[in-house]
Amino acid sequence: MGKFDNKRMVITGAGSGIGKATAIKFASEGAYVACVDLRGAAETASEIGGSAFALECNVADASAVEKMIASAVNTLGGLDILANIAGIGHFKWSHEESPEDFDRILSVNLNGTFYCCRYALPHMLEAGGGIILNTASTAGLIGQPWSAAYCASKGGVVMLTRAMAYEYRNKNIRVAAVAPGGTKTNIVKSFTDLPKDADYSLMSKIMSPVPIADPSEIASAFAYIASDDGRFITGSILTIDGGIVC
Ligand SMILES: NC(=O)c1ccc[n+]([C@@H]2O[C@H](COP(=O)([O-])OP(=O)(O)OC[C@H]3O[C@@H](n4cnc5c(N)ncnc54)[C@H](O)[C@@H]3O)[C@@H](O)[C@H]2O)c1
């Protein structure tokens, strides 16, 4: 018996890092998983085997998300859990950030999370319940230098999570987020290239006193929230950061 036997799930960002670890974790506990990503989803699905399949989708494209959710629900026969994990970011001085890159980061991290919720919710409402797991960040809770777009997008995910949790709390739909600190994945490379003249000491605020997390530790937090043990969790933002936000 697995914790998620026969649960039907969509996971974005499943081609790499936290999304991939989450797909593996939920599938190992019995879930059927649609692995969604721009790239790498097929590899994750084939690593999992029969209980997973891949869908290529740009979450920043609302009509692509509408089609992706419809296709996933059609194959899965319904939708019990949505995990919004896809995300991007980079270091840039705010006075040098291009409007295009600012929009791109907001579009993937915040709009993409909204679009997936938007098109998943009708299926959950029709079925009488569901669970939405979002990915915030410590950068959405405290300021992080050279990351205005990323911080704004993740702060947006925090409030989107709280707003939807409140809106749907009488509809048996739980909405919660994890806020990881540094986690060993590809995105970290985007945050190691310091911009010119950056004062490295400003980084001390966002550096964890313990080694950075393994993606499987974030996946376990998602699994706890989505499990029956997490029945009373909604609207929560669970920091998993080794003590950055205390
Ligand atoms: N790794 C960390 O230190 C850390 C800390 C806090 C929050 N996060 C968040 O965790 C989430 C997962 O990131 P990760 O650490 O696993 O990094 P990652 O780069 O390994 O994974 C991100 C995945 O998102 C996918 N993606 C990017 N843009 C997409 C788009 N438009 N449509 C569909 N998929 C897209 C990428 O292809 C990639 O597979 C992100 O939301 C990130 O902001 C990560």
Side-chain angles (χ1 to χ4, degrees):
M1 288 284 283
K3 279 185 186 150
F4 302 111
D5 277 347
N6 304 318
K7 294 291 183 197
R8 299 151 304 179
M9 185 168 187
V10 167
I11 304 182
T12 74
S16 167
I18 295 169
K20 179 174 181 178
T22 302
I24 291 169
K25 173 78 179 168
F26 278 76
S28 76
E29 293 278 359
Y32 295 109
V33 182
C35 299
V36 177
D37 207 303
L38 283 175
R39 61 191 81 84
E43 287 77 1
T44 301
S46 85
E47 202 174 313
I48 291 170
S51 56
F53 62 98
L55 292 172
E56 196 178 303
C57 177
N58 175 5
V59 298
D61 177 341
S63 67
V65 170
E66 183 176 15
K67 287 187 196 113
M68 176 275 287
I69 294 284
S71 166
V73 168
N74 187 43
T75 306
L76 294 165
L79 181 60
D80 302 298
I81 306 169
L82 164 68
N84 290 304
I85 304 182
I88 56 172
H90 67 187
F91 271 159
K92 203 84 178 187
W93 284 105
S94 293
H95 65 277
E96 291 175 349
E97 179 66 288
S98 72
E100 293 76 19
D101 277 350
F102 187 90
D103 285 351
R104 194 170 56 87
I105 291 169
L106 269 287
S107 293
V108 175
N109 297 358
L110 180 56
N111 296 16
T113 298
F114 173 73
Y115 298 149
C116 291
C117 294
R118 161 65 184 86
Y119 292 110
L121 278 163
H123 299 285
M124 294 178 173
L125 288 167
E126 195 184 328
I131 297 168
I132 295 176
L133 306 167
N134 292 330
T135 311
S137 167
T138 49
L141 299 170
I142 56 172
Q144 175 174 298
W146 319 298
S147 311
Y150 188 71
C151 289
S153 72
K154 294 299 187 177
V157 169
V158 167
M159 285 316 299
L160 183 144
T161 300
R162 291 185 174 138
M164 287 189 181
Y166 197 34
E167 188 173 336
Y168 294 101
R169 68 180 179 171
N170 294 338
K171 304 276 185 195
N172 195 32
I173 295 173
R174 294 196 288 116
V175 188
V178 296
T183 308
K184 226 177 297 158
T185 69
N186 289 332
I187 207 174
V188 172
K189 291 177 205 144
S190 313
F191 292 110
T192 46
D193 202 5
L194 288 187
K196 193 165 168 282
D197 299 328
D199 173 1
Y200 189 73
S201 70
L202 289 178
M203 290 288 287
S204 60
K205 185 179 173 189
I206 62 159
M207 299 295 258
S208 159
V210 297
I212 66 174
D214 188 83
S216 64
E217 294 174 275
I218 313 301
S220 294
F222 278 131
Y224 168 62
I225 293 169
S227 73
D228 289 345
D229 291 336
R231 185 190 63 84
F232 213 51
I233 298 175
T234 193
S236 309
I237 313 298
L238 177 57
T239 52
I240 307 165
D241 64 353
I244 296 170
V245 181
C246 292

